[in-house]
């Protein structure tokens, strides 16, 4: 059952999120209210998507200590929800394929991995390294999901000029989604 919870994110502060209540005191970072769902999984510093596990919480008040990298999963989940909302509310589009495509995010990819990417079916986020924190800020989440939108619409070949256009669309929409989700703190920087 979808349930509204509270997430203390690393980049966006305390935000409402929708989660899945699987038992009386067990919630996970999944929901079914937006299209075919928004789901966020833990790769546990591996690269095997089949071995990913759920993030769970006992009271749907998601708080992780500042040093706990799990809090960046809350940014990925909240960012995916707001990106879905942006495309629906501003462009009347039901997810990236306009047919409710389930938005799946995987965090804790590999070790010391400083990147985020769309692979044709899902978003993946590394934990960063000693210099960079995980790349799950609102504009980066919006950027990655927009790669999926571009694939389902323009299907630009990811090479040379068409690849550059693909990246620029993701930058434009990433910053637009950040503006939609947090207009009071909006800036034109990507992943600042």
């Amino acid at each position: 059952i979808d349930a509204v919870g509270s997430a203390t994110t690393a980049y966006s502060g305390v935000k409402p999120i929708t989660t899945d209540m699987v038992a009386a005191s067990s919630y996970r970072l999944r929901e079914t209210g937006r299209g075919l769902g928004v789901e966020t999984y833990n790769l546990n510093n591996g690269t095997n998507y089949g071995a990913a596990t759920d993030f769970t919480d006992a009271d749907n008040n998601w708080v992780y200590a500042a040093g706990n990298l799990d809090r960046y999963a809350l940014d990925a989940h909240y960012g995916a929800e707001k990106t879905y909302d942006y495309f629906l509310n501003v462009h009347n589009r039901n997810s990236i394929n306009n047919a409710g495509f389930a938005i799946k995010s995987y965090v804790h990819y590999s070790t010391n991995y400083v990147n985020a990417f769309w692979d044709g079916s899902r978003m993946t986020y590394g934990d960063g390294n000693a210099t960079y924190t995980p790349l799950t800020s609102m504009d980066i989440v919006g950027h990655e999901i927009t790669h999926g939108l571009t694939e389902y619409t323009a299907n630009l070949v990811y090479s040379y000029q068409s690849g550059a256009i693909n990246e620029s669309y993701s930058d434009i929409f990433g910053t637009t989604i950040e503006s939609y989700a947090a207009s009071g703190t909006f800036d034109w920087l990507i992943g600042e």
Side-chain angles (χ1 to χ4, degrees):
I1 297 173
D2 283 348
V4 176
S6 173
T8 302
T9 70
Y11 297 120
S12 296
V14 178
K15 297 295 180 185
I17 59 171
T18 303
T19 62
D20 179 30
M21 183 175 76
V22 293
S25 59
S26 182
Y27 300 85
R28 60 186 179 175
L29 290 181
R30 298 190 199 186
E31 63 135 297
T32 60
R34 290 172 168 90
L36 296 174
V38 174
E39 304 170 5
T40 305
Y41 296 100
N42 186 347
L43 280 169
N44 299 294
N45 299 114
T47 59
N48 179 356
Y49 293 95
T53 59
D54 280 304
F55 289 94
T56 60
D57 188 76
D59 63 2
N60 214 15
N61 181 24
W62 299 75
V63 179
Y64 294 107
N68 187 332
L69 295 179
D70 285 351
R71 68 188 180 134
Y72 294 97
L74 303 175
D75 286 283
H77 193 76
Y78 174 68
E81 289 180 336
K82 297 313 286 181
T83 299
Y84 178 91
D85 293 348
Y86 167 80
F87 284 122
L88 180 66
N89 296 330
V90 176
H91 301 287
N92 196 32
R93 186 167 188 85
N94 182 8
S95 195
I96 61 176
N97 66 350
N98 204 27
F101 185 91
I103 298 175
K104 296 181 181 180
S105 301
Y106 291 79
V107 299
H108 299 320
Y109 178 82
S110 194
T111 55
N112 294 317
Y113 187 77
V114 185
N115 207 348
F117 60 89
W118 158 260
D119 70 1
S121 62
R122 62 196 155 224
M123 277 60 60
T124 302
Y125 305 94
D127 284 339
N129 59 19
T131 305
Y132 295 98
T133 56
L135 303 180
T136 58
S137 62
M138 182 65 65
D139 47 359
I140 293 175
V141 171
H143 170 106
E144 297 306 335
I145 295 172
T146 299
H147 280 306
L149 176 84
T150 300
E151 182 174 317
Y152 279 99
T153 55
N155 196 25
L156 294 170
V157 174
Y158 197 79
S159 180
Y160 299 103
Q161 288 90 348
S162 58
I165 292 170
N166 188 322
E167 283 295 332
S168 67
Y169 283 150
S170 282
D171 284 346
I172 291 164
F173 278 104
T175 204
T176 302
I177 291 162
E178 180 182 40
S179 174
Y180 172 83
S183 59
T185 59
F186 169 73
D187 59 45
W188 287 102
L189 302 174
I190 298 291
E192 65 278 2

